[in-house]
Amino acid sequence: MFDLDCSVLARFIVSCLTVQALLHHGARGLQTRKQPPGIEIFTSTQSVTSGQKVLTIEGRECKFPFRLGGTLYHQCITVSYGIQWCSLTNNFDRDMKWGYCSSRTTRFNTAFYVVSTQSLCNPNPCKNGGVCSSIPYRRLFECVCPDAFTGAKCELKKCYEPLHLRYYNIGEVWGRIHLRNVEQCMCSKDGASCERTRYTACLTNPCENEGTCRIIETTREAVCACRPGYRGPYCNISPDEKCYKDSGVHYRGTVNTTLSGTPCLPWNSDLMYNELSIDTVYDASQRGIGDHAFCRNPDNDKKPWCYTMNNGVISWEYCDVPSCPRVFTSRKAPITSSLPTPLPSRKSTCGKRHPKRVPQGRILGGTSAMAGSHPWMAALYIGDEFCAGSLISSCWIVSAAHCFLRNPLLSAVRVVLGQHVFNDSSSNTQTYGIEKYIFYDHYNQFSPTVHDIALVKLKKVNGHCAHKTKFIRPICLPEESMTFPDYTCCTITGWGHMQEKGDSYSSLTEGIVRLIPDESCSSPEVYGSEVREGMLCAGSNTCVDACQGDSGGPLACERNEASFLYGIISWGDGCGRTGKPGVYTKVTKYVKWINHVTRRKKKSQKKGL
């Protein structure tokens, strides 16, 4: 990235699953699910790969795509010493089942296997409106099927159950109450067949909205008879609901696309792990979450939303559901006024996340971040180079000084806020030029790791800097006296390379690291005297680290549900090397200078974030 050696500067997150880590995780057993795993349920449409099976050295089949760190992979992943491995289920984050990839492969559906990558999807081999997507590096294609179809080429028709408002795959069995008869149904290639079956009364009633419950004796499945106007296995779907009231917490309609037109992931998708789903949300059914892909608001957001797939990464968006018009009555409330009502005190909104995920302690490695979970992240495009930074107020970014080592022209710097995928603008992003960048008074470009901090002032657009949204808001600055105990878990984030000699960037990635005692980091076997005052170390023995491309990004530590900018990604020895933690600029040593610079003309500035 810069002329300086990688071992000196510019570090980023890397999730390097070592062979030892894989062996440790491989002993974990599979979890059972109400719905069999398979990529046909990873979106509201079905995706089926046709071409070759990839086997492990034990002869077991690799499952593609599989989830690792919130990202989908369509091929074996290379770890140290060139060894390749794959997941044996579609969700490695959850199941931790894996194997070493064999060089042998087994062809299946050979009629669809095409050597020429240019002709993989031309003509389209997918039937019934299926969309073909080629995977050139494995020389095969993928059919994304409409909800009603399945099969390698979307050639098989699923069975639609109107009482549940969903399609069942071939071979699936379900129960229902139809015309007061309790029935057991099965889907086959010839369609659905239902037969009356024996039942008993329910001890507890899971059916909502005054639905009637029965238990099928053979399967012990609870089935519901819903009142008019309600559908779904538990009577918690209202097809006639065309808009949402207030924030949409009680919305139970059937919209399943986002504002951008992207289809929603089912809330029980087999690719979910630490997202809000039927497995992680308490009282999921009461919050509207179920075996469907309809938009909901289980976390009391501002409107209904859903999870989506964005460039192979699990993300989320607000849904294309209109707000119900407000109903005003003609009656006027009596005026009882004496003293004016005092304005509510303004609470600080710095450091507040918008995570859309449930904390899971098991993943300590780098993982794909959810949109809005680090809204203070700033992407700095400096000519042909790239750095990260942290938004601390509407007009100011904190970054690393060595990002500006070449003294770039102001016109060559572009700052993007709200960015999730590298160099990808969306409706959630805001882009600015810069007015100036400022080094610390004692910064010396011949010793770029010392006092490695810079302030960047955004150039206003129409008289304003950053506008606060769910995806853009500042991180909190610590007080000079603030400290976090040694071994505290903090978070690093960025878009940088995923390996030491990488040459590509990624979607926003996050990782957990622990603060390392100063005496350990400055010991001769680690960094010795290279660690100076104003620096701190953090790392993890799960191979999470920073690498090229994420210099200037935050080391964020949390207190009282607010994130504080405790460190700035600065330098280290390589990326993710054993015994070589990341070194960060310690922000508490510079917070007095930060406040002095950013508040010089505060009285004359307009209010921002």
Side-chain angles (χ1 to χ4, degrees):
M1 175 177 169
F2 298 97
D3 291 336
L4 298 174
D5 193 313
C6 167
S7 64
V8 178
L9 293 176
R11 302 169 60 86
F12 186 162
I13 299 170
V14 58
S15 175
C16 46
L17 286 167
T18 62
V19 175
Q20 290 80 3
L22 286 171
L23 289 173
H24 171 73
H25 292 310
R28 297 184 182 270
L30 284 168
Q31 297 180 4
T32 58
R33 292 181 64 81
K34 297 179 181 178
Q35 190 161 353
I39 55 179
E40 69 271 7
I41 60 170
F42 86 88
T43 65
S44 59
T45 56
Q46 175 188 356
S47 175
V48 180
T49 303
S50 179
Q52 288 185 325
K53 286 184 179 179
V54 177
L55 304 178
T56 66
I57 57 177
E58 295 87 7
R60 303 181 70 178
E61 182 185 349
C62 297
K63 293 293 185 181
F64 299 111
F66 65 87
R67 169 186 171 138
L68 171 64
T71 300
L72 297 190
Y73 291 87
H74 293 264
Q75 61 182 349
C76 295
I77 296 177
T78 301
V79 291
S80 56
Y81 308 108
I83 301 173
Q84 290 191 323
W85 68 276
C86 69
S87 177
L88 300 179
T89 71
N90 292 114
N91 196 328
F92 180 80
D93 287 345
R94 181 195 67 215
D95 301 327
M96 300 291 181
K97 304 292 285 187
W98 67 279
Y100 293 120
C101 296
S102 170
S103 58
R104 298 180 295 108
T105 57
T106 301
R107 292 188 181 186
F108 69 104
N109 292 335
T110 53
F112 315 133
Y113 179 79
V114 186
V115 175
S116 172
T117 57
Q118 294 182 350
S119 58
L120 285 171
C121 292
N122 188 19
N124 185 3
C126 308
K127 310 297 182 182
N128 297 305
V131 178
C132 179
S133 175
S134 63
I135 309 175
Y137 42 80
R138 285 180 55 208
R139 293 190 297 177
L140 37 99
F141 65 83
E142 195 173 59
C143 285
V144 180
C145 305
D147 284 346
F149 297 93
T150 185
K153 296 197 301 178
C154 309
E155 75 278 11
L156 302 176
K157 190 173 183 179
K158 294 182 181 180
C159 301
Y160 184 69
E161 175 52 72
L163 295 179
H164 296 171
L165 296 178
R166 60 158 290 186
Y167 289 93
Y168 286 93
N169 214 333
I170 295 173
E172 284 193 87
V173 177
W174 69 97
R176 69 177 188 178
I177 299 179
H178 179 58
L179 299 177
R180 297 190 177 183
N181 295 320
V182 178
E183 299 178 338
Q184 186 94 17
C185 302
M186 173 179 284
C187 182
S188 68
K189 293 182 179 180
D190 299 324
S193 58
C194 299
E195 297 180 353
R196 295 180 62 179
T197 186
R198 296 176 64 86
Y199 64 90
T200 60
C202 299
L203 296 179
T204 58
N205 187 3
C207 310
E208 299 181 34
N209 299 301
E210 301 180 8
T212 302
C213 177
R214 296 291 182 266
I215 296 289
I216 296 178
E217 289 186 353
T218 55
T219 63
R220 306 306 300 170
E221 176 190 2
V223 291
C224 299
C226 303
R227 294 173 56 239
Y230 295 97
R231 292 287 188 273
Y234 299 104
C235 307
N236 61 352
I237 301 174
S238 178
D240 298 331
E241 205 168 325
K242 305 302 182 184
C243 60
Y244 70 90
K245 298 177 182 178
D246 299 323
S247 63
V249 170
H250 300 292
Y251 172 75
R252 298 295 182 266
T254 56
V255 173
N256 61 358
T257 55
T258 67
L259 289 170
S260 66
T262 305
C264 295
L265 276 164
W267 295 99
N268 68 326
S269 169
D270 194 51
L271 292 181
M272 297 282 195
Y273 171 57
N274 52 348
E275 289 76 23
L276 306 182
S277 68
I278 59 175
D279 293 332
T280 61
V281 175
Y282 179 73
D283 287 341
S285 179
Q286 283 71 29
R287 295 173 184 264
I289 294 179
D291 188 8
H292 60 75
F294 302 132
C295 301
R296 295 293 183 260
N297 187 6
D299 59 344
N300 199 23
D301 202 338
K302 69 176 183 179
K303 62 184 295 186
W305 58 275
C306 70
Y307 290 110
T308 61
M309 294 301 301
N310 182 7
N311 294 322
V313 176
I314 296 178
S315 186
W316 70 276
E317 290 185 56
Y318 291 117
C319 285
D320 190 16
V321 186
S323 175
C324 297
R326 292 180 178 270
V327 178
F328 297 96
T329 62
S330 59
R331 295 181 61 185
K332 295 183 178 179
I335 300 176
T336 57
S337 176
S338 54
L339 297 175
T341 304
L343 293 174
S345 60
R346 185 181 178 184
K347 294 183 179 180
S348 174
T349 58
C350 71
K352 299 298 183 182
R353 293 168 167 267
H354 200 54
K356 299 295 186 192
R357 274 186 173 147
V358 176
Q360 296 276 10
R362 194 169 68 185
I363 291 186
L364 290 179
T367 182
S368 175
M370 193 67 69
S373 58
H374 306 281
W376 42 83
M377 286 298 298
L380 277 61
Y381 297 89
I382 307 170
D384 295 329
E385 297 164 350
F386 179 75
C387 272
S390 303
L391 184 70
I392 59 168
S393 67
S394 62
C395 289
W396 288 96
I397 306 289
V398 173
S399 187
H402 76 258
C403 291
F404 299 87
L405 198 60
R406 297 180 180 177
N407 294 312
L409 296 174
L410 298 179
S411 59
V413 182
R414 176 170 57 97
V415 178
V416 182
L417 304 175
Q419 175 181 278
H420 186 63
V421 178
F422 177 76
N423 204 23
D424 181 33
S425 298
S426 69
S427 59
N428 298 327
T429 60
Q430 298 174 25
T431 303
Y432 298 89
I434 70 168
E435 184 177 309
K436 57 184 173 181
Y437 54 88
I438 303 172
F439 297 117
Y440 184 67
D441 296 339
H442 302 295
Y443 181 70
N444 185 340
Q445 292 176 320
F446 296 101
S447 300
T449 62
V450 182
H451 306 305
D452 192 12
I453 184 172
L455 291 171
V456 181
K457 187 174 184 180
L458 302 180
K459 184 182 292 185
K460 294 182 179 180
V461 177
N462 297 325
H464 298 277
C465 293
H467 296 273
K468 185 181 72 174
T469 70
K470 293 282 187 180
F471 305 94
I472 300 172
R473 63 180 58 195
I475 192 171
C476 298
L477 279 176
E479 298 290 338
E480 286 185 77
S481 59
M482 175 176 277
T483 59
F484 288 88
D486 292 338
Y487 306 109
T488 297
C489 286
C490 298
T491 304
I492 52 175
T493 44
W495 295 272
H497 304 329
M498 298 303 291
Q499 54 190 353
E500 187 166 325
K501 296 183 180 180
D503 58 0
S504 62
Y505 293 91
S506 63
S507 60
L508 187 63
T509 307
E510 63 188 4
I512 304 297
V513 293
R514 294 183 184 274
L515 301 181
I516 295 176
D518 293 339
E519 57 270 20
S520 298
C521 193
S522 59
S523 63
E525 60 270 18
V526 184
Y527 291 125
S529 61
E530 291 183 67
V531 177
R532 313 283 185 83
E533 186 181 5
M535 300 180 187
L536 64 89
C537 293
S540 168
N541 51 11
T542 58
C543 214
V544 183
D545 198 7
C547 201
Q548 295 95 327
D550 209 34
S551 294
L555 171 73
C557 302
E558 191 168 298
R559 180 168 293 174
N560 298 327
E561 299 184 350
S563 293
F564 289 83
L565 181 62
Y566 199 57
I568 301 168
I569 296 174
S570 181
W571 65 278
D573 187 358
C575 303
R577 296 182 183 178
T578 303
K580 297 294 183 179
V583 184
Y584 303 79
T585 303
K586 192 171 185 179
V587 176
T588 53
K589 296 293 184 179
Y590 302 92
V591 71
K592 185 176 181 180
W593 170 74
I594 293 173
N595 288 328
H596 173 72
V597 172
T598 58
R599 297 176 181 177
R600 283 174 182 170
K601 299 180 180 180
K602 186 175 179 181
K603 293 182 179 180
S604 62
Q605 291 177 350
K606 293 183 178 180
K607 291 184 179 180
L609 296 170

